[in-house]
Amino acid sequence: MAAPAPQQEGFHDCRDAWARTLEDLAARDPRIVAVVNDSVGSSKLGGFQKTFPERLVNVGIAEQNMVGVGAGLANGGKIPFVSAASCFLSGRALEQIKADIAYARFNVKLVGQSSGVAYGELGPTHHSIEDFAWLRPLDAITVIAPADAWETEQAVRWAAAHDGPVYIRLSRMPVPDLTVKDRVFRPGKAEMVLAGSDLTLIACGTTVHLAAQAAATLRAEGISVRLLNMATLNPLDEEALAAAASQTGAIVTVEEAHIRGGLGGAVAEFTAGHHPVPVERLGFPGFVVTGSVNFLFEHYGITPHGIIAAARRALARKQ
Amino acid sequence: MLKNNTVQTIRDKALWMRRRAFTMVHDAQLGHPGGDFSAIDIIATLYFGVMHYDPTKPGLENRDRFIMSKGHATGALYTALCAAGYYPEEWLDTYMQPNSKLNGHPNRTYLPGVETNTGPLGHGMPVALGIAIAAQISGQDHRTFVLTGDGELQEGSNWEAAMTAGHRKLETLTLIVDRNRLQQGMGTEDTNGLDPLDEKFRAFGWEAVMVDGHDIGALLDVLAPARIGKGRPLCVIANTVKGKGVSFMENKASWHHGVPNAEQYRIALEELV
């Protein structure tokens, strides 16, 4: 198991918000069940298991079975939250997700834990940087990567109430709460964290707060930076993208995922077809080298410094 | 006497299903008639002698469920659901035509009575397991039946589900294996052998029985009795003949997805009486 990242003041592990919210929802709705692959601890579902032992279905280390069971539970009138490390959930059970959940449109919530490179030194077998690319084309599935604990709770609550498949991508990396005024969670809509007109930074999940730091530096230099928290990757908020492209003319995407097929891929697809503007994509170029999660973020430039450099490249291309 | 009537009713339905399915395959020049015909007697027995359901209420909470894991055998499934009253016979005429609800593999959002989408093999068992677990959690007594091919059991997902079903003692879950001993290319035992199949399931905590999959009376005897109190899931290994009922199709792997020409179609309908 990877060493936990040092806990910083004001930073939260979003899994706590997820587990707390699920327990609260389950207390109100008997249809809610959890399905795991021996992942009670890593999903922080110990409390759920204690309170609702009969509603915690542990199929053991068997992800294909786990996802198929989720579809069956939905057929039987339950609202299953299938929770597992996202590398195994999205990779090992991809065909079940495609055929049993997306194509069959079962009301199943998939919760990918410790996504991205959260497992650090354990390496690419345990990383989940391909999940966006794998799941984004599965139209029926709403794909959400919450940026902080608040958004995690909102996403879980929304998923429970929504009749349809959802993939919620969580991390074990502590992140700070975003400061956004009068915040409202709107699935499928980008959240305008900062308004601006020179350049748009688009981030999701664990990278939004890094992009916010980069934006602060750039704004201090007089560059009017827009920052979008694109928590929902599918369906994509094309309206916000069209506005970003036409109003700011340059985009930088930042994600804890593969640079192909994820947030950056989605933005590039849309802008190429509708509003061609320079797009710089930050993420992982492929299987990563050995190192801690913090080392990997540094090594691949997914840092405020790396985002600022990408922003300068995008601005240079714009001119 | 009552059982004799039931057997006759099921035989009549199965005969209609074979003729209708073969017509669909002939008209579409697409389909999997060999696997349709090995499974039809089993499916007819379930729908017309065993299962409780209401075709006017396909979402009925405590309905018995049937999962067609060998989703390619749509000729068998679509004719059964039609005969059970889920939709009118005209729908069968659209089999695999552009925009038809009757896709080459079943889709629950297209057709009432389809419990889940299947097609890729090894998907039905986990879904059926999930349905049975939902019933276990809710205290419902309905049964869940899943039909797999035999070659399909080479997919590991089936065994993941079999392990869990045995572990949870899911007595309301019944698996029927369409044991026609042929997969797409050749015999199962020449490809990746399955025998002894009954012992495998017993080792996973199941009750396992062998039956002639074309003997309606024998199928009723093993499938109809209630399972409450049995304490174990049931695996029925139904020994069948791929292409059963048409002389030139029987036990021929080439009829896995072979389609008839006009002369073969004429001969088959002469034999299916």
Side-chain angles (χ1 to χ4, degrees):
Chain A
M1 199 58 67
Q7 190 75 45
Q8 289 175 262
E9 186 81 27
F11 279 57
H12 304 286
D13 181 339
C14 292
R15 291 178 301 167
D16 292 317
W18 131 259
R20 191 171 60 235
T21 307
L22 191 71
E23 283 176 51
D24 181 58
L25 289 166
R28 296 155 195 269
D29 189 339
R31 295 173 300 170
I32 288 180
V33 297
V35 189
V36 297
N37 61 338
D38 196 24
S39 47
V40 174
S42 56
S43 293
K44 297 217 172 197
L45 287 173
F48 184 100
Q49 184 174 35
K50 204 172 162 193
T51 315
F52 312 103
E54 75 290 351
R55 287 155 64 185
L56 190 285
V57 180
N58 189 347
V59 299
I61 306 159
E63 291 75 24
Q64 300 178 62
N65 191 27
M66 172 179 69
V67 173
V69 162
L73 286 162
N75 175 297
K78 304 298 180 193
I79 303 175
F81 279 76
V82 178
S83 174
S86 60
C87 55
F88 307 128
L89 172 63
S90 68
R92 189 64 163 261
L94 182 55
E95 191 184 79
Q96 276 73 17
I97 293 174
K98 171 190 165 189
D100 305 352
I101 308 296
Y103 183 50
R105 282 189 175 266
F106 271 117
N107 187 26
V108 175
K109 320 305 166 185
L110 304 165
V111 184
Q113 306 283 353
S114 305
S115 58
V117 297
Y119 281 119
E121 300 87 336
L122 299 192
T125 56
H126 285 58
H127 296 161
S128 180
I129 62 172
E130 304 87 356
D131 52 347
F132 284 152
W134 290 341
L135 301 190
R136 210 164 56 76
L138 302 176
D139 282 341
I141 301 186
T142 305
V143 175
I144 305 175
D148 60 11
W150 178 86
E151 196 166 47
T152 299
E153 172 173 348
Q154 302 303 314
V156 172
R157 288 193 186 282
W158 176 80
H162 170 69
D163 183 15
V166 180
Y167 175 64
I168 300 177
R169 186 194 206 242
L170 300 180
S171 180
R172 59 170 58 211
M173 274 180 77
V175 287
D177 292 332
L178 295 184
T179 45
V180 183
K181 227 179 142 204
D182 302 325
R183 234 175 147 187
V184 181
F185 177 74
R186 293 185 302 159
K189 291 288 166 197
E191 180 178 52
M192 180 89 80
V193 182
L194 295 168
S197 55
D198 292 337
L199 166 86
T200 305
L201 302 181
I202 305 177
C204 66
T206 52
T207 61
V208 180
H209 77 98
L210 303 175
Q213 289 177 49
T217 303
L218 290 164
R219 286 160 75 97
E221 293 177 11
I223 300 167
S224 175
V225 176
R226 181 178 301 189
L227 172 56
L228 298 180
N229 168 19
M230 191 68 80
T232 308
L233 271 78
N234 187 43
L236 201 61
D237 186 350
E238 298 188 342
E239 204 181 332
L241 281 181
S246 60
Q247 293 164 11
T248 73
I251 294 174
V252 175
T253 63
V254 198
E255 61 196 307
E256 189 188 348
H258 205 296
I259 52 166
R260 295 201 299 272
L263 174 64
V267 169
E269 283 167 18
F270 177 80
T271 53
H274 296 83
H275 296 272
V277 293
V279 176
E280 290 286 327
R281 294 170 294 134
L282 285 180
F284 299 105
F287 298 131
V288 301
V289 300
T290 305
S292 70
V293 59
N294 291 331
F295 168 81
L296 293 172
F297 271 65
E298 286 285 341
H299 187 74
Y300 293 97
I302 306 170
T303 57
H305 182 75
I307 296 167
I308 290 164
R312 297 201 199 289
R313 289 198 299 273
L315 286 167
R317 286 174 60 195
K318 183 180 164 183
Q319 282 143 19
Chain B
M1 193 57 211
L2 197 62
K3 186 183 165 188
N4 288 345
N5 289 342
T6 305
V7 169
Q8 192 52 50
T9 301
I10 295 167
R11 277 203 192 110
D12 293 344
K13 296 280 190 190
L15 177 63
W16 180 84
M17 287 165 64
R18 278 194 172 83
R19 291 177 62 90
R20 201 65 187 73
F22 207 62
T23 300
M24 287 157 57
V25 172
H26 169 262
D27 293 353
Q29 285 293 295
L30 287 167
H32 292 82
D36 287 339
F37 281 20
S38 65
I40 274 177
D41 294 316
I42 298 161
I43 299 173
T45 301
L46 288 171
Y47 275 95
F48 308 109
V50 177
M51 283 169 47
H52 299 92
Y53 58 92
D54 179 349
T56 67
K57 295 178 188 133
L60 200 66
E61 211 172 299
N62 205 31
R63 69 191 183 277
D64 288 340
R65 266 78 159 180
F66 173 69
I67 304 289
M68 183 68 165
S69 193
K70 43 177 287 184
H72 55 279
T74 41
L77 179 67
Y78 292 161
T79 52
L81 293 174
C82 178
Y86 282 99
Y87 43 78
E89 192 179 341
E90 300 89 77
W91 289 23
L92 297 178
D93 297 332
T94 70
Y95 185 54
M96 290 205 230
Q97 296 308 303
N99 298 309
S100 174
K101 297 173 193 300
L102 280 69
N103 188 268
H105 293 95
N107 183 320
R108 76 181 193 102
T109 69
Y110 295 173
L111 280 183
V114 173
E115 294 288 354
T116 189
N117 297 17
T118 49
L121 298 174
H123 282 242
M125 272 278 276
V127 176
L129 171 68
I131 296 171
I133 293 173
Q136 191 179 47
I137 292 171
S138 306
Q140 292 172 347
D141 61 358
H142 73 76
R143 296 180 67 183
T144 304
F145 298 91
V146 51
L147 178 72
T148 67
D150 50 359
E152 179 179 1
L153 292 177
Q154 290 156 355
E155 291 279 8
S157 50
N158 293 297
W159 300 100
E160 293 183 2
M163 193 183 297
T164 308
H167 175 78
R168 297 181 75 101
K169 305 186 191 319
L170 281 170
E171 58 194 15
T172 62
L173 179 65
T174 295
L175 161 68
I176 304 121
V177 181
D178 182 357
R179 186 77 174 107
N180 60 35
R181 308 190 81 84
L182 286 174
Q183 50 198 100
Q184 182 167 282
M186 53 202 229
T188 57
E189 303 313 287
D190 300 322
T191 306
N192 191 6
L194 299 165
D195 286 333
L197 200 48
D198 54 342
E199 288 178 26
K200 286 188 171 73
F201 278 95
R202 284 188 200 110
F204 276 66
W206 292 56
E207 179 182 343
V209 296
M210 298 260 203
V211 66
D212 176 345
H214 301 299
D215 181 339
I216 306 290
L219 283 167
L220 277 174
D221 286 344
V222 297
L223 291 170
R227 295 295 301 169
I228 299 295
K230 299 287 187 187
R232 277 183 298 174
L234 173 65
C235 172
V236 175
I237 297 164
N239 291 309
T240 57
V241 174
K242 201 158 186 169
K244 172 73 176 180
V246 174
S247 56
F248 58 82
M249 285 169 58
E250 290 193 355
N251 281 321
K252 296 281 196 308
S254 59
W255 281 95
H256 176 80
H257 47 52
V259 294
N261 60 30
E263 178 63 5
Q264 288 167 325
Y265 178 61
R266 187 187 62 75
I267 295 169
L269 286 198
E270 272 179 19
E271 293 184 15
L272 292 168
V273 288

